[in-house]
Amino acid sequence: MSINARPSIRGFIASDPEKLETVNGNPYVKVRFGQERRQREEDGTFTDLGKTFATLIAYNDNVERIANNFMPGDRFIAQGQVRSFTDQESGKGREVFIASGIGPDSAYTRYEVDRSPRRAGPEHETPTAGQTADRVVPERSGPPVFRAPEPRTERPSPAMGM
């Protein structure tokens, strides 16, 4: 069996997510994102190449997930594909990232994980009346909360002795 691998991006949300509709009336979300570019030099240092910005689009369950949980400055990792097209106004080639999955980037963001079964979702069946076969499941009170990282404080190193 082969590994199911897809393109992914890392970046930060650069604009408020905008909920829109396709010409067929289906919801989608559009958001600008940024990526910091660096180049590794031969001596092991990095040269900052600045930031680039692009557009991320998502459909289906990801519309509410992005609209409710992400705001400018949030770091994320998304899986999906790059789609190229020609801008009809300018005639120039452009690209967007179509996200099929997205979540916080744990290298930058602390977040809480709720492992209780979901009432609905793409990878879970819906439990009946808040129960599973072996235990009662507490009702969820809303979408997961992503919190910005707290400032780090210096901690004294533990004393070591023999």
Side-chain angles (χ1 to χ4, degrees), residues 11 33 57 79 88 104 139:
F33 72 94
I57 294 176
Q79 181 181 42
Q88 294 182 355
E139 297 259 343

Side-chain angles (χ1 to χ4, degrees), residues 48-91:
D48 185 6
L49 302 176
K51 296 176 184 171
T52 59
F53 295 88
T55 302
L56 179 143
I57 294 176
Y59 302 93
N60 303 322
D61 295 338
N62 288 312
V63 172
E64 294 302 322
R65 190 171 294 128
I66 292 170
N68 293 336
N69 295 314
F70 290 93
M71 59 192 305
D74 288 350
R75 300 287 186 137
F76 70 91
I77 298 176
Q79 181 181 42
Q81 63 184 349
V82 176
R83 186 166 296 157
S84 301
F85 66 96
T86 303
D87 187 323
Q88 294 182 355
E89 292 179 17
S90 67

Side-chain angles (χ1 to χ4, degrees), residues 95-113:
E95 293 180 330
V96 296
F97 188 82
I98 310 295
S100 58
I102 188 168
D105 186 343
S106 63
Y108 295 93
T109 307
R110 285 189 239 176
Y111 58 96
E112 294 178 19
V113 177

Side-chain angles (χ1 to χ4, degrees), residues 1-147:
M1 182 180 347
S2 63
I3 295 174
N4 180 14
R6 296 184 189 137
S8 65
I9 58 172
R10 275 179 102 161
F12 60 91
I13 302 294
S15 70
D16 286 318
E18 183 179 3
K19 289 170 65 172
L20 303 165
E21 286 187 1
T22 66
V23 292
N24 297 331
N26 296 321
Y28 73 98
V29 66
K30 175 180 170 183
V31 64
R32 295 288 289 169
F33 72 94
Q35 293 180 306
E36 295 166 343
R37 304 289 181 162
R38 294 185 195 160
Q39 177 177 311
R40 186 181 181 121
E41 303 298 338
E42 288 183 18
D43 65 358
T45 62
F46 289 88
T47 301
D48 185 6
L49 302 176
K51 296 176 184 171
T52 59
F53 295 88
T55 302
L56 179 143
I57 294 176
Y59 302 93
N60 303 322
D61 295 338
N62 288 312
V63 172
E64 294 302 322
R65 190 171 294 128
I66 292 170
N68 293 336
N69 295 314
F70 290 93
M71 59 192 305
D74 288 350
R75 300 287 186 137
F76 70 91
I77 298 176
Q79 181 181 42
Q81 63 184 349
V82 176
R83 186 166 296 157
S84 301
F85 66 96
T86 303
D87 187 323
Q88 294 182 355
E89 292 179 17
S90 67
K92 295 181 181 180
R94 298 198 38 192
E95 293 180 330
V96 296
F97 188 82
I98 310 295
S100 58
I102 188 168
D105 186 343
S106 63
Y108 295 93
T109 307
R110 285 189 239 176
Y111 58 96
E112 294 178 19
V113 177
D114 178 358
R115 289 189 173 86
S116 63
R118 294 180 182 198
R119 287 186 280 168
E123 58 280 327
H124 299 284
E125 291 183 21
T126 305
T128 57
Q131 295 186 9
T132 65
D134 56 17
R135 66 184 175 99
V136 175
V137 178
E139 297 259 343
R140 290 184 58 172
S141 60
V145 176
F146 300 116
R147 290 181 171 71

